[in-house]
Amino acid sequence: MDELRLKLAVQKSGRLTDPSLDVLVRCGLKLSRGKDQLVGYGENMPLDVLFVRDDDIPDLVQEDVCDLGLVGLNVLEEKRLELASRGHAARFQTVRNLDFGRCRLSIAVPQGASWEGAASLSGRRIATTYPFLLERYLGERNIKAQVVTLSGAVEIAPRLGRADFVCDLVSTGSTLSANHLREVETVMESHAVLIRTPLKLAPEKDAWVERLLMRIDGVQAVRESKYIMLHAPRSALAEIRRLLPGTESPTIIPLDGAADRVAVHAVCRENVFWETLESLKKAGASALLVLPVEKMLT
Ligand code: PRP
Ligand code: ZN
């Protein structure tokens, strides 16, 4: 592989795969990838995407196999604690918190089992793929319990008699309910993060990292943003500005042949709901138009 191409690791198949690729596409990346291929080639950027197991991403960046990685904070923090337990410091650097992949690492109990708070864990067996985060949680609460480390399929451990409780990731909660488990306690909140190698990169590569970060910021800034256009009497401007959600300074444009009416154009940093449009209309606005914002560079 070309030394001057960035290598970015992404989860091969899982909750983060689609939203990770979606961000990259929104950043302008055209990726060509054959079926089942583990490397996607960036056609219009010197950036290749490696599809790997999410648990391997911190190591790949830590060991400088990849320059960048998109991974859950949960995986990252688990790795950080694991490295610390062996006397190593984490070398990967978190460069962005991302607005997708929200989930939590939680304790869940079999439906019907009694639960009186974290003390109920005392002396019991808890199955997890996150032993270090769980041990920290237990340690902070002075709870002595047995951590059963599994490499997957944690949710079936209670049914198999391997554990009393589980500590697993919950996103929609459907995995838990399909396995008759009840979420009782949050160990950690998580979302996707972008990490990078601490190594100094060649200037060409570094410049592309900077460009990518700027574009990611642009993508995240517009996710909820809307462009709103409307006509209004000048006298209603103050009220209309008050009603527009999350706008800085709207553009006011005179309307041809109507001295007392203007067009107002504004970027709203929040979604614009029907209720807002109805209030704007009540305040005197007409010809209301709301458009999605595709890109923003500030
Ligand atoms: C997690 C977790 C559950 C599922 C929960 O897996 O292990 O299986 O997500 O999601 P739900 O609440 O929406 O049902 P993840 O995608 O992180 O993959 P991995 O654990 O296999 O790496
Ligand atoms: Zn995983």
Side-chain angles (χ1 to χ4, degrees), residues 140-152:
E140 282 170 358
R141 286 161 184 77
N142 266 317
I143 297 167
K144 299 247 177 315
Q146 191 191 333
V147 174
V148 180
T149 305
L150 301 178
S151 56

Side-chain angles (χ1 to χ4, degrees), residues 192-209:
V193 294
L194 178 69
I195 55 172
R196 66 158 282 167
T197 165
L199 287 195
K200 209 168 144 48
L201 297 172
E204 296 91 330
K205 281 177 106 172
D206 210 44
W208 267 105
V209 171

